[in-house]
Amino acid sequence: MKTIFIMVKCELGKAYVVANEAVVSVENVSEVYSISGKYDLMMKCYLDDDQDTGHFVNEQIQTLPHIKDTFTMITFKAFS
C-alpha cells in the first residue's frame, strides 16, 4: 500500500462540493482537508502498490466536477 497526497484547486465556492464528492465517490480517498494557501483541499489517498499513480490522479481525481488544478505528492516513509 502506498500513500499519496493530492492538493486540489477548485472553482470558486466549490471546495466543499468537491471534498464531499471525493470522499463519497472515490474509494481510494481516505481523508480530505480544507487548507490555506494556493490550493483549497488536500486529499490523502491510499493506493495498492501496483496501482499506477498517474492514471489514478488523471482518471479518478481530475475528472471530478469543479476541479481546476492538482499537485500530487508521493510519500516514501511514514514516521510515528
Side-chain angles (χ1 to χ4, degrees):
M1 188 72 65
K2 58 187 171 184
T3 305
I4 64 170
F5 289 89
I6 305 169
M7 299 181 53
V8 177
K9 197 175 291 185
C10 304
E11 293 174 0
L12 291 177
K14 297 296 183 178
Y16 282 66
V17 173
V18 172
N20 186 60
E21 182 68 20
V23 169
V24 168
S25 67
V26 183
E27 181 181 342
N28 299 86
V29 174
S30 169
E31 302 163 41
V32 179
Y33 299 90
S34 58
I35 58 174
S36 63
K38 293 182 180 184
Y39 290 87
D40 302 304
L41 302 172
M42 183 170 58
M43 298 180 182
K44 183 178 184 180
C45 306
Y46 294 107
L47 306 181
D48 292 331
D49 288 329
D50 61 346
Q51 191 171 0
D52 185 280
T53 302
H55 280 286
F56 171 74
V57 173
N58 287 318
E59 297 165 10
Q60 302 287 321
I61 302 299
Q62 292 178 345
T63 56
L64 291 171
H66 311 297
I67 289 182
K68 291 175 58 176
D69 191 21
T70 62
F71 180 84
T72 303
M73 293 178 282
I74 299 170
T75 63
F76 299 114
K77 178 174 175 55
F79 298 89
S80 57

